[in-house]
Amino acid sequence: MYDVIVIGLGGMGSAAAYRLAQRGKRVLGLDKHTAVHAHGSSHGGSRITRQAYFEDPAYVPLLLRAHEMWDQIEHDSGEHVFHRVGGILVGAKESRTISGSRVSAEQYGLKHELLDAHQIRARFPTMHPADDEVALFEAGAGLVVPEKSVKAHLDLAVKAGAELHFEEPVTHWEAGTVTTTKDRYEAEHVVVCPGPWAPELLRDLEITFEVERQVQFFFTPKENFTGHPVYIWEREGTFYGFPELDGAVKIAIFGEGETCTPDTIDRTVHDHEVRHITDYVQPRMPGITGTFQRAATCMFTNTADGHFVIAKHPGHDNVTVACGFSGHGFKFVPVVGEILADLVTDGATRHPIALFDPARLRGHA
């Protein structure tokens, strides 16, 4: 008999297992793959983290806490997880990326700079904005390394007393009981962090999750991108990218992926996809797409409104869920772990999570 069983040990599940074990709970963590695997959403070498959040100002308090916790995770684990290289958001003045980020920055007094096209070119000669484009620069932004984050949280969870089982798929769960391909376990509470397996494991939430194939492209750049800020650029779509790490720069386009499942995703990245991102990015950052090195696929699990689901399960008082992170969740990993631990141990959390109530999505096609 365990106090808590955590289903899924990727970004969110690894953090939840650690925080629960840290609070003295007897924790069992289960994952269908090996530790720190590349089959879900917690891999690819880098994820953007920022605080001037255009998606909704309600996320900012969580991001302020997350940045504190990334530092703590680095200290406690010895892993270099968070790289503060700064972040630049580029787009038309009225674009969601710019206008929404300004609202969040101003509402919470976040340090930021507004740059016109001439200032962007002068500060960041790798970037070629149109004359009508502007930018918001946030010095405190940067990137986190998902594989190192998952490893750090798993190692700390074990150190705190958690029992973790890998390559043990969950075949069925209900309140108080989890069945796998190897055994049947009982616990007072179940935490479900399923990533792209949400449609399979959380059918009874009555929420439509769309799993989207996302491709991450790695190039040897023609210009120097060492120490370059992370960036998001909205112009007839949105692409984003990172400084040079381990001899490559990573870039990707947001929101163009095909609908898939973890079983049907096409893991092959095709020549036409490499040509497409090269043609898309070159007019804006011509020095970035030098020589194509490799590509990797991952999955976004999207909700209808692009916001998360973090809550006690509406049908089971002793089940808590965290899912539907819609391609922008990894930067929240440590604070989501804390929230899940709060919900299990206290039944509530001080963190603002009203936006993530699944009731808003029930029956939404």
Side-chain angles (χ1 to χ4, degrees):
M1 181 74 173
Y2 297 89
D3 295 324
V4 189
I5 297 174
V6 178
I7 300 175
L9 294 172
M12 306 305 175
S14 63
Y18 169 44
R19 295 299 170 184
L20 286 160
Q22 188 185 43
R23 297 187 189 190
K25 297 296 182 182
R26 187 179 179 212
V27 175
L28 171 64
L30 299 168
D31 198 285
K32 72 181 300 178
H33 293 290
T34 56
V36 198
H37 62 80
H39 300 287
S41 306
S42 299
H43 61 280
S46 52
R47 293 289 188 275
I48 290 174
T49 184
R50 51 195 165 87
Q51 294 180 336
Y53 219 60
F54 59 79
E55 289 83 349
D56 195 300
Y59 287 92
V60 176
L62 301 179
L63 289 161
L64 294 173
R65 175 61 176 154
H67 278 213
E68 294 175 357
M69 297 182 77
W70 284 122
D71 291 337
Q72 180 191 37
I73 287 295
E74 287 198 326
H75 176 270
D76 293 347
S77 70
E79 292 278 2
H80 186 23
V81 176
F82 186 4
H83 298 255
R84 281 183 174 83
V85 294
I88 184 168
L89 310 177
V90 183
K93 186 179 295 185
E94 68 278 5
S95 67
R96 180 184 181 220
T97 297
I98 298 299
S99 62
S101 298
R102 286 191 66 178
V103 168
S104 287
E106 291 167 3
Q107 181 173 332
Y108 285 92
L110 303 175
K111 291 183 180 179
H112 66 286
E113 298 175 69
L114 298 175
L115 309 174
D116 62 24
H118 174 74
Q119 291 169 317
I120 297 169
R121 297 183 198 112
R123 287 267 294 274
F124 307 103
T126 55
M127 311 186 89
H128 294 204
D131 289 342
D132 64 343
E133 289 183 308
V134 298
L136 184 147
F137 178 75
E138 183 182 351
L143 67 94
V144 294
V145 181
E147 292 90 345
K148 288 187 176 182
S149 166
V150 174
K151 182 181 185 302
H153 281 101
L154 292 176
D155 289 349
L156 289 167
V158 170
K159 187 177 179 180
E163 179 181 335
L164 306 181
H165 294 189
F166 297 96
E167 298 181 280
E168 188 170 346
V170 170
T171 57
H172 178 74
W173 69 266
E174 56 190 62
T177 305
V178 176
T179 304
T180 73
T181 54
K182 297 181 179 180
D183 211 336
R184 182 176 180 271
Y185 306 98
E186 294 183 353
E188 293 181 4
H189 205 110
V190 177
V191 175
V192 188
C193 301
W197 288 271
E200 173 186 341
L201 289 174
L202 289 172
R203 289 190 187 96
D204 64 344
L205 271 184
E206 299 179 6
I207 292 173
T208 298
F209 296 104
E210 182 182 87
V211 179
E212 177 188 350
R213 174 180 178 266
Q214 178 74 356
V215 184
Q216 307 167 81
F217 299 88
F218 298 82
F219 288 84
T220 302
K222 291 182 284 189
E223 299 181 30
N224 181 15
F225 278 82
T226 303
H228 195 282
V230 298
Y231 50 89
I232 298 174
W233 200 320
E234 181 183 349
R235 186 78 178 199
E236 300 170 357
T238 300
F239 77 98
Y240 59 95
F242 300 82
E244 186 171 344
L245 293 173
D246 301 323
V249 291
K250 188 179 91 173
I251 53 176
I253 298 175
F254 191 86
E256 287 192 355
E258 302 167 349
T259 301
C260 66
T261 71
D263 293 327
T264 64
I265 182 174
D266 183 0
R267 295 287 185 182
T268 300
V269 178
H270 304 277
D271 290 344
H272 70 86
E273 295 177 297
V274 180
R275 290 195 298 270
H276 173 59
I277 194 164
T278 300
D279 292 343
Y280 186 90
V281 172
Q282 272 191 337
R284 300 160 177 85
M285 300 182 75
I288 202 167
T289 52
T291 304
F292 174 68
Q293 288 191 15
R294 66 189 190 278
T297 57
C298 69
M299 287 170 281
F300 292 169
T301 308
N302 300 320
T303 63
D305 61 5
H307 297 307
F308 310 156
V309 173
I310 307 174
K312 297 179 77 66
H313 192 296
H316 308 283
D317 190 55
N318 61 340
V319 176
T320 303
V321 300
C323 55
F325 288 95
S326 303
H328 65 112
F330 204 92
K331 60 183 72 66
F332 296 88
V333 157
V335 72
V336 170
E338 184 171 66
I339 289 167
L340 294 173
D342 289 345
L343 293 175
V344 170
T345 58
D346 305 327
T349 180
R350 63 183 175 86
H351 294 295
I353 61 169
L355 182 62
F356 312 136
D357 188 335
R360 74 187 196 278
L361 297 168
R362 213 158 298 130
H364 198 309

